[in-house]
Amino acid sequence: MSNSLVGVRVTTAALREVPRMEAAAEIARRRARALGRPVLVSVTTQVGLRDPLALFARGAGVTHNRLFWSVPAAGFELTGLGAAWSFTPPPEVDRFAASAAAWRQLVADAVIDVDPDVPVQGPVAIAGFRFDPAQPASELWRDYPHALLVLPRLLIVRHGDVTTLTVNGMVDERSSTLALGAAAARRLQALIGLPWRPHRPPADLQVDVSLDPAEWKAIVADAITDLRTGALEKVVLARAVRLRGAEPFDTAATLDVLRRDYPHTFVFAVARGGRTFLGASPERLVALRDGRVSASALAGSAPRGKTPDEDAALAAALLQSAKDRAEHAFVVQMIRAALAEYCDDVQAPDTPEIMQVRNVQHLFTPVTARIRPGYDIFDLVGRLHPTPAVGGKPGPAALAWIRSRERLDRGWYAAPVGWVDARGDGEFAVALRSALIGRREATLFAGCGIVAASEPERELAETRIKLRAMLGALGAGEEMIG
């Protein structure tokens, strides 16, 4: 998308003598009358430095629709409450193209109050998708459809030392939801300035693996057999672990741990109904800013060492592993080919580097490009998902194998989750290192890539390593799982 997406813009100077929201709403009312449909109004104000996670925590008693996104190392965080507008496309259409079209129309018609002195502002929608829309959804994921865009009624964004508050609402000839957001903003302004203290993790957690480790290893062994016959080149298999607590989980506290312990990841949360899907993903799917595209190839994993020497030795072994290097090369090749359909100047280093997070290290290759006119971030997301790092190769055959043999509803796990703004810029991560959390139960997910040289016991051990982030954030230890 380009700047042509952005609708009617109202400068702060034009609103000096009248309340900003009233003036913006009046412009939108006239526009809605001409168009014959409701029009979005989005008004952004700079506020004192705030912690967006505090708003997420305080919003638990206000709305079931809460959104959070953080890249701690970059000093960027946002929280959204409520839903001024949401969109789920019909199941029979291309969900990425339909999402792009719906967002494009919404912001093209919108009245967006712009303050030229504020760097981060305007309407921002959070979007998420099911990993495989062809797989029937289970009750566990009932509130998470095959595709979802949510524009929050209230949005707070912190970028460095600047914090903004955006109120969004829909206006037609006779009615407006803008006042609801304004009232919520007045109530929450005082609350988000108060100190916020996360609760302690629940004690006495019980663990229930959804599939016995021996059964899961048998599925891995079946995959290896098919891989060695040449039916597939790679397939990614996931498993789930369930935690139950006597006390409710505090999802804001979990996010606080994740952003503290994993500052170089994408920390996210989408709360709907009585559940919250959250995680700390090390893998960017794609970002688009001012025409510049950034993607990440992340495949091949090893544990962190207990000492610096052991850590370095494990990293060196990962770089020299033929199995992991081949797995990683699959992903790099696919990302480059996918981006080349919509982008120019696609570039990637010839040799991967090591990305280290708190408990695991990965082979990592950054891929950059410049998007061609006429394409947008949803085109990129739709073309890239699923990468061989979460699906396999060849993609359709791997997905069919997963669908029939994995015995797990992934829901939004390993699928795109991220945000898009009115300019069409945005960022999506692959929803890894994640969990779906209810009041007193949590389902944690982890997966690993299987190739012909894989060993079932080693793959099971890799899932344990990848589960550590969420287990620790929820107050459980790796020793609790099989």
Side-chain angles (χ1 to χ4, degrees), residues 217-241:
K217 287 192 293 182
I219 296 173
V220 173
D222 288 343
I224 293 170
T225 298
D226 287 349
L227 287 157
R228 289 175 177 171
T229 65
L232 296 168
E233 293 181 64
K234 175 184 176 182
V235 64
V236 181
L237 296 179
R239 62 189 290 246
V241 172

Side-chain angles (χ1 to χ4, degrees), residues 237-439:
L237 296 179
R239 62 189 290 246
V241 172
R242 295 190 180 94
L243 299 182
R244 303 181 191 278
E247 301 173 17
F249 288 102
D250 182 342
T251 53
T254 303
L255 292 167
D256 191 45
V257 172
L258 292 174
R259 69 176 180 175
R260 180 196 69 203
D261 291 348
Y262 301 90
H264 296 282
T265 66
F266 302 92
V267 179
F268 63 88
V270 179
R272 289 177 56 78
R275 296 185 172 102
T276 303
F277 180 56
L278 59 78
S281 175
E283 184 172 355
R284 170 192 284 143
L285 181 65
V286 66
L288 176 61
R289 291 185 179 89
D290 297 323
R292 296 186 299 273
V293 178
S294 301
S296 299
L298 199 74
S301 306
R304 296 297 302 273
K306 296 180 181 179
T307 66
D309 287 345
E310 183 184 3
D311 206 34
L314 288 167
L318 181 59
L319 282 169
Q320 295 167 11
S321 166
K323 179 258 186 189
D324 289 294
R325 289 290 291 269
E327 181 183 343
H328 186 81
F330 286 158
V331 180
V332 175
Q333 179 185 9
M334 177 271 179
I335 291 175
R336 294 191 63 160
L339 292 181
E341 292 191 25
Y342 303 125
C343 303
D344 297 316
D345 195 25
V346 180
Q347 297 185 16
D350 294 332
T351 303
E353 58 190 80
I354 294 290
M355 173 189 284
Q356 294 180 324
V357 293
R358 186 181 178 90
N359 61 345
V360 66
Q361 45 195 333
H362 303 280
L363 294 179
F364 165 72
T365 297
V367 185
T368 60
R370 179 163 290 279
I371 198 166
R372 297 185 195 121
Y375 297 108
D376 58 49
I377 195 167
F378 289 105
D379 289 313
L380 302 176
V381 171
R383 183 62 185 85
L384 287 168
H385 175 74
T387 70
V390 294
K393 186 181 180 182
L399 282 180
W401 205 100
I402 292 168
R403 199 177 296 137
S404 64
R405 308 288 288 278
E406 190 176 61
R407 296 167 62 182
L408 174 69
D409 179 11
R410 294 190 183 190
W412 282 22
Y413 165 71
V417 61
W419 59 271
V420 59
D421 69 11
R423 294 177 295 275
D425 288 348
E427 187 161 47
F428 281 79
V430 182
L432 304 174
R433 312 296 191 273
S434 53
L436 183 61
I437 302 176
R439 183 168 172 77

Side-chain angles (χ1 to χ4, degrees), residues 54-240:
L55 179 62
F56 183 89
R58 301 291 184 187
V62 178
T63 175
H64 286 303
N65 290 293
R66 294 180 296 148
L67 313 163
F68 182 74
W69 178 273
S70 174
V71 187
F76 179 75
E77 291 188 329
L78 67 82
T79 284
L81 296 184
W85 172 89
S86 64
F87 176 76
T88 293
E92 66 273 9
V93 304
D94 183 310
R95 55 188 177 154
F96 301 106
S99 298
W103 181 245
R104 183 182 296 114
Q105 178 172 307
L106 181 75
V107 298
D109 295 340
V111 177
I112 302 172
D113 181 347
V114 175
D115 182 342
D117 297 325
V118 176
V120 181
Q121 58 185 319
V124 174
I126 297 289
F129 301 87
R130 274 183 65 81
F131 175 80
D132 181 5
Q135 182 186 45
S138 65
E139 174 64 16
L140 181 68
W141 292 96
R142 65 175 182 268
D143 296 313
Y144 295 82
H146 69 286
L148 176 69
L149 271 71
V150 177
L151 175 66
R153 194 179 302 283
L154 198 65
L155 176 74
I156 189 166
V157 178
R158 182 181 66 83
H159 192 189
D161 58 358
V162 175
T163 305
T164 59
L165 180 66
T166 299
V167 177
N168 299 305
M170 301 299 294
V171 174
D172 63 19
E173 288 187 70
R174 298 180 179 84
S175 63
S176 170
T177 64
L178 196 62
L180 297 176
R186 287 192 294 270
R187 291 197 303 271
L188 288 167
Q189 271 279 55
L191 290 178
I192 61 179
L194 296 175
W196 168 67
R197 295 181 179 177
H199 296 160
R200 297 180 65 182
D204 302 323
L205 292 172
Q206 297 181 344
V207 177
D208 172 26
V209 292
S210 62
L211 192 65
D212 182 82
E215 293 182 75
W216 190 81
K217 287 192 293 182
I219 296 173
V220 173
D222 288 343
I224 293 170
T225 298
D226 287 349
L227 287 157
R228 289 175 177 171
T229 65
L232 296 168
E233 293 181 64
K234 175 184 176 182
V235 64
V236 181
L237 296 179
R239 62 189 290 246

